[in-house]
Amino acid sequence: MAMHVALSLLLTLLKSLAVDAGLTCNLTHNPCAERLLEGSECVDGFCTNPFEGGCLKFFLQDEAYADKYAEGSVESNLRRRVLSPERKRICNSEDPESSPFCEPAADDGYSELRIFPQNWDSPIATSWMMQIILSEILNVPATTETGRANQNNNFYNRKNKMDYGMSDLDDDYDSFQNAFDAEGGDCTIYKG
């Protein structure tokens, strides 16, 4: 029974998170809001990610959620916290330094957590859910690790860029070795 509920919740979440990665656009053809979601704009030839400012903030701003949860409930309190005007998601190492969509982690906060889904679709979707929970609710900087330089499948990527990482076990552990060898175990220094 619990497995059925969890699977149902996961499928519902995945349906709402589906976006067309890397959708191109131009001045004469702008399918961004129509093909993705309201809030996506055509910038530099690509539709922007409508969730860049936070997935939960994007969906929970709908007033239908205000009526759905009783005042004082855990869900209502979470919604109020996420929608607070001064609250932003926590930035990760792949966000631009001057991003208006996120705020840096506190100096005494957590180090960035790297989630390594390899190149499989279901772990990538799960890693995105983990990234949302960590950076939007728990204030932990998190990103997904592809194991390859210059590849990205970060949920908040401005251009919806999604590269598949590696899956060959001989190379998979190199990224862990890099983090182990890095000063303080900080793998964020290995930006592509």
Side-chain angles (χ1 to χ4, degrees):
M1 177 67 173
M3 180 62 121
H4 176 71
V5 171
L7 183 57
S8 178
L9 177 62
L10 176 63
L11 292 175
T12 302
L13 249 171
L14 289 177
K15 273 197 252 179
S16 67
L17 297 178
V19 294
D20 292 333
L23 185 60
T24 58
C25 58
N26 58 45
L27 293 175
T28 58
H29 177 68
N30 184 355
C32 300
E34 176 187 334
R35 293 277 311 276
L36 295 178
L37 290 169
E38 201 64 41
S40 178
E41 302 169 346
C42 185
V43 176
D44 298 329
F46 287 93
C47 295
T48 59
N49 182 347
F51 304 123
E52 188 176 14
C55 179
L56 296 176
K57 186 171 271 196
F58 182 90
F59 283 111
L60 291 178
Q61 66 189 343
D62 188 329
E63 286 305 314
Y65 288 101
D67 300 333
K68 187 173 183 176
Y69 303 118
E71 187 62 35
S73 67
V74 171
E75 296 87 354
S76 174
N77 291 338
L78 176 62
R79 180 178 184 268
R80 188 172 48 258
R81 181 176 165 217
V82 167
L83 294 179
S84 171
E86 62 275 351
R87 180 157 173 89
K88 296 180 180 178
R89 69 175 175 84
I90 299 299
C91 297
N92 63 58
S93 62
E94 294 174 357
D95 284 311
E97 277 190 41
S98 60
S99 175
F101 299 106
C102 62
E103 61 189 10
D107 289 337
D108 59 346
Y110 296 97
S111 297
E112 181 171 283
L113 179 67
R114 292 271 173 116
I115 306 162
F116 191 33
Q118 295 184 313
N119 68 349
W120 305 322
D121 290 341
S122 58
I124 289 172
T126 303
S127 73
W128 286 342
M129 287 186 267
M130 292 171 62
Q131 189 176 16
I132 292 165
I133 292 167
L134 288 163
S135 64
E136 295 183 35
I137 297 174
L138 300 176
N139 297 333
V140 176
T143 191
T144 53
E145 173 64 59
T146 63
R148 301 269 191 235
N150 300 319
Q151 289 188 335
N152 181 306
N153 61 14
N154 180 9
F155 180 79
Y156 302 107
N157 181 275
R158 183 158 183 79
K159 293 183 179 177
N160 291 319
K161 184 178 178 189
M162 184 184 145
D163 297 314
Y164 283 94
M166 57 188 173
S167 67
D168 48 327
L169 289 176
D170 292 337
D171 292 335
D172 275 352
Y173 301 107
D174 290 347
S175 54
F176 292 113
Q177 186 64 48
N178 287 341
F180 181 79
D181 293 341
E183 185 177 330
D186 184 5
C187 56
T188 62
I189 63 171
Y190 292 106
K191 290 184 183 181

